[in-house]
């Protein structure tokens, strides 16, 4: 008779680690950070042998929470804790995993560790929260969001850390694409949106009032730095709540009320903060760098909300106001000696997204033709599309098109000396980065993409302007003079590269 297949090998269960083992785990962490290769290897091997044992994560959490422990060892313990959660939190057949009892202990311990003073360790803990949330929320940890938000009222440091954890938890939950997960995220949005929005608005008013003085100070006040840090984290959380916490209006055709609340406030903040960057009188500081990040994030919010809720963006008036704001900014920035290139890219991406949005253009999506072919819903969508095209057509009149086209071609098309050197040294890589690679990170390529969209949309008005600029360049650089112009160091002629 045939022999039955052998049973799968059973994993050897090593004794659980406990409080008495914390000192030995701490020594392993220190040895793994040693400058001596042999000690470092021995420490890493010891940690590898311990990481699947029950109680190891609890020991790491205790080390992270020890105030007097060596900083490097604490940070390494936080990283190890994050990695072990990723590796062993989910149950797998015939594989080591963290027991339910230890999971309950770790959830409570992480909440206690939340007010961590060091920002790098706090970041590792926030990512650990997020990894657990992806697997346990809402099934095994239904109170996660309320537990985190409850810590936000405990004090300044606790509030900042709570919002940091919330940001990473929302980032993880928003990436889940199953219908049930999206419904859970909508419930989270309903639960916390109002508190996040209220705090962000309060911080916005405070920053607009205090930043001019802080930016001109020799050393920016610490409180202003902390407020800006919290404001930026809240803005990231707010973006995810608005974009992923509400059903897209392209499917439901129902306006999302928060869009008319958020986008005007975002534009007001952008309009108030942008001059502060341009009017800075002192050398750039950490606060200036944070201001740049804030401006870019505000611009990203406008584009992401437009793509997620285009109809609400239009009906709130934000589409028209942002289009005018970004268009004026592009024209004005072209005259500045050192423009904010990354913000210009964001502005061009918004304009391009508004002109190429499939929701605003015929044919109507098949989603709206499920009810007996041509339906009343189809007619309403076509009427809204016509209204959007009418508004955009009125904005992009011939005069404005000429201004923006000349600005793009004359100021953003010319190749810089570095571009020419890169093109000469590695033509294939230059083409890949400009045409195939991360084109949304390249100002020149973004301006080319925007011009192509304008040319496709309004060829009768745009084509003559482009031809006129090209003819002016040809007249200024007749045949045979290109090499002399390049040798003389002239970067461009009439907006066209000299070489």
């Amino acid at each position: 008779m045939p022999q039955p297949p052998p049973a799968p090998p059973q994993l050897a269960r090593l004794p659980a680690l406990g409080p008495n083992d914390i000192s030995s785990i701490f020594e392993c962490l220190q040895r793994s950070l040693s400058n001596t290769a042999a000690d470092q290897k021995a420490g890493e091997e010891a940690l590898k042998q311990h990481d699947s044992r029950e109680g190891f994560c609890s020991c790491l959490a205790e080390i992270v929470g020890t105030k007097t422990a060596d900083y490097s060892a604490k940070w390494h313990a936080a990283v190890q804790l994050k990695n072990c959660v990723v590796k062993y939190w989910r149950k797998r057949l015939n594989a080591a995993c963290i027991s339910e009892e230890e999971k309950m202990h770790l959830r409570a311990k992480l909440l206690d560790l939340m007010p961590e003073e060091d920002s790098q360790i706090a970041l590792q803990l926030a990512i650990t929260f997020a990894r657990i949330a992806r697997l346990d929320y809402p099934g095994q940890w239904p109170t996660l969001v309320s537990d985190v938000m409850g810590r936000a009222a405990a004090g300044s440091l606790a509030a900042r850390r709570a919002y940091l954890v919330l940001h990473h938890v929302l980032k993880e939950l928003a990436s889940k694409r199953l219908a049930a997960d999206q419904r859970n995220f909508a419930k989270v949005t309903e639960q916390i949106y109002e508190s996040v929005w209220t705090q962000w608005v309060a911080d916005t008013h405070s920053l607009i009032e205090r930043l001019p003085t802080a930016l001109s100070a020799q050393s920016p006040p610490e409180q202003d730095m902390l407020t800006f840090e919290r404001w930026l984290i809240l803005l990231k959380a707010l973006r995810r709540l608005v974009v992923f916490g509400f059903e897209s209006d392209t499917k439901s055709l129902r306006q999302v009320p928060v869009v008319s609340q958020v986008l005007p406030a975002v534009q007001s903040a952008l309009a108030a903060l942008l001059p502060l960057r341009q009017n800075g009188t002192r050398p750039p500081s950490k606060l200036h760098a944070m201001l740049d990040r804030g401006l870019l994030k505000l611009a990203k919010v406008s584009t992401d909300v437009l793509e997620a809720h285009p109809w609400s963006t239009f009906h709130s008036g934000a589409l028209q106001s942002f289009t005018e704001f970004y268009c004026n900014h592009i024209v004005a920035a072209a005259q500045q000696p050192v423009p904010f290139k990354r913000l210009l890219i964001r502005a061009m991406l918004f304009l391009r997204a508004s002109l190429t949005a499939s929701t605003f253009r015929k044919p109507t999506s098949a989603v709206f033709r499920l009810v007996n072919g041509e339906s009343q819903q189809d007619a309403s969508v076509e009427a809204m599309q016509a209204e959007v095209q009418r508004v955009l057509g009125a904005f992009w009149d011939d005069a404005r098109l000429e201004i923006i086209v000349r600005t793009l071609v004359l100021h953003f098309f010319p190749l810089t000396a570095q571009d020419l050197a890169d093109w000469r040294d590695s033509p294939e890589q230059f083409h890949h980065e400009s045409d195939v690679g991360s084109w949304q990170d390249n100002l020149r390529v973004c301006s080319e993409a925007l011009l192509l969209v304008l040319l496709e949309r309004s060829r009768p008005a745009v084509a003559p302007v482009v031809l006129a600029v090209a003819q002016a360049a040809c007249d200024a650089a007749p045949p045979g003079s290109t090499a002399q112009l390049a040798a003389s160091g002239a970067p461009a002629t009439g907006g066209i590269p000299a070489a």
Side-chain angles (χ1 to χ4, degrees):
M1 295 179 62
Q3 296 295 324
Q10 297 294 321
L11 292 173
R13 296 291 296 178
L14 297 175
L17 298 172
N20 295 331
D21 299 297
I22 293 177
S23 58
S24 62
I25 298 297
F26 185 76
E27 291 177 4
C28 293
L29 291 169
Q30 288 186 312
R31 293 186 68 185
S32 68
L33 297 171
S34 172
N35 294 327
T36 306
D39 288 344
Q40 182 179 0
K41 185 175 181 180
E44 291 174 351
E45 287 296 327
L47 289 174
K48 188 175 180 180
Q49 293 175 4
H50 288 313
D51 70 352
S52 61
R53 294 178 65 179
E54 184 176 350
F56 180 65
C57 289
S58 298
C59 292
L60 293 174
E62 293 297 330
I63 293 172
V64 173
T66 304
K67 300 293 185 182
T68 57
D70 175 68
Y71 169 77
S72 298
K74 284 181 61 176
W75 180 85
H76 194 18
V79 174
Q80 286 285 332
L81 177 60
K82 177 194 67 177
N83 293 339
C84 286
V85 164
V86 172
K87 190 174 181 180
Y88 297 115
W89 198 271
R90 186 195 297 271
K91 288 185 177 180
R92 292 182 176 89
L93 184 63
N94 296 322
C97 64
I98 301 174
S99 66
E100 291 299 326
E101 293 77 11
E102 187 174 7
K103 287 181 180 179
M104 292 180 61
H105 170 74
L106 287 172
R107 294 184 191 113
K109 185 63 179 178
L110 283 171
L111 290 171
D112 294 337
L113 293 175
M114 191 181 297
E116 168 61 44
E117 294 181 359
D118 182 76
S119 58
Q120 295 301 318
I121 296 177
L123 176 61
Q124 296 300 319
L125 293 175
I127 297 174
T128 304
F129 265 101
R131 296 295 187 266
I132 295 175
R134 185 175 189 89
L135 299 174
D136 281 8
Y137 184 83
Q140 288 72 43
W141 198 356
T143 61
L144 167 62
V145 176
S146 58
D147 289 343
V148 172
M149 293 299 293
R151 300 302 196 276
S156 176
L157 176 62
R160 295 202 318 275
R161 298 301 183 238
Y163 289 130
L164 177 64
V165 170
L166 179 67
H167 160 61
H168 284 278
V169 168
L170 293 177
K171 181 179 180 180
E172 196 71 37
L173 296 180
S175 67
K176 304 176 74 174
R177 307 316 307 152
L178 293 179
D181 296 323
Q182 293 180 2
R183 288 193 294 270
N184 288 332
F185 194 83
K187 293 178 182 178
V188 172
T189 301
E190 184 179 354
Q191 179 181 352
I192 67 173
Y193 169 80
E194 195 60 39
S195 60
V196 172
W197 165 253
T198 302
Q199 184 62 58
W200 183 79
V201 170
D203 286 347
T204 301
H205 293 323
S206 175
L207 287 175
I208 291 174
E209 179 181 350
R210 298 174 61 88
L211 269 183
T213 302
L215 289 170
S216 60
Q218 186 73 32
S219 179
E222 183 68 19
Q223 185 58 43
D224 292 338
M225 298 282 290
L226 297 177
T227 301
F228 206 115
E229 177 186 333
R230 182 178 62 194
W231 175 86
L232 190 56
I233 292 174
L234 286 168
L235 179 59
K236 295 176 182 179
L238 191 63
R239 182 187 73 86
R240 285 196 167 83
L241 293 176
V242 176
V243 172
F244 299 104
F246 300 89
E247 184 182 13
S248 174
D249 58 16
T250 58
K251 299 178 181 179
S252 66
L253 292 184
R254 292 191 299 269
Q255 291 191 42
V256 180
V258 299
V259 171
S260 60
Q261 182 183 48
V262 170
L263 285 185
V266 167
Q267 184 179 345
S268 298
L270 195 57
L273 295 177
L274 184 58
L276 300 181
R277 182 188 190 277
Q278 298 168 344
N279 297 335
T281 56
R282 290 192 175 276
S285 63
K286 184 178 179 181
L287 189 58
H288 286 83
M290 294 179 70
L291 177 59
D292 285 356
R293 290 170 56 201
L295 292 171
L296 293 174
K297 187 59 65 175
L298 287 168
K300 179 176 175 58
V301 170
S302 65
T303 304
D304 288 353
V305 174
L306 168 64
E307 293 175 347
H309 309 297
W311 294 123
S312 300
T313 304
F314 172 72
H315 289 300
S316 67
L319 176 65
Q320 303 92 304
S321 59
F322 267 108
T323 300
E324 183 174 6
F325 177 84
Y326 285 136
C327 186
N328 293 339
H329 174 67
I330 292 171
V331 174
Q335 309 302 323
Q336 297 172 2
V338 185
F340 190 8
K341 292 184 178 181
R342 287 180 294 167
L343 185 59
L344 282 171
I345 289 174
R346 294 289 186 189
M348 292 178 186
L349 290 176
F350 180 92
L351 295 180
R352 184 177 183 275
S354 67
L355 294 170
T356 59
S358 58
T359 306
F360 296 151
R361 307 174 72 180
K362 296 180 181 180
T364 306
S365 172
V367 174
F368 306 123
R369 296 188 183 273
L370 296 179
V371 185
N372 300 322
E374 295 292 337
S375 65
Q376 185 175 358
Q377 193 176 47
D378 288 321
S380 65
V381 172
E382 291 176 359
M384 290 191 295
Q385 288 176 332
E387 177 66 13
V388 173
Q389 296 305 319
R390 184 190 65 78
V391 171
L392 291 178
F395 176 82
W396 291 109
D397 56 21
D398 291 355
R400 194 182 300 271
L401 284 170
E402 181 175 358
I403 292 173
I404 195 68
V405 168
R406 287 187 174 276
T407 300
L408 294 175
V409 174
L410 297 177
H411 295 277
F412 303 125
F413 272 31
L415 299 175
T416 64
Q418 184 61 48
D419 291 333
L420 293 173
D422 293 342
W423 192 0
R424 180 183 64 250
D425 297 339
S426 180
E428 184 176 352
Q429 181 178 353
F430 178 83
H431 168 74
H432 177 78
E433 293 178 350
S434 300
D435 191 46
V436 184
S438 302
W439 67 271
Q440 294 184 351
D441 297 329
N442 188 308
L443 178 59
R444 176 174 51 80
V445 182
C446 277
S447 62
E448 292 171 358
L450 178 58
L451 179 62
L452 288 175
V453 171
L454 293 171
L455 184 61
E456 177 186 357
R457 177 185 174 86
S458 306
R459 185 178 299 270
V462 174
V465 180
V466 175
L467 292 175
V469 174
Q471 185 61 50
C474 291
D475 294 341
S481 64
T482 307
Q484 291 141 358
L485 287 169
S488 67
T493 300
I496 306 301

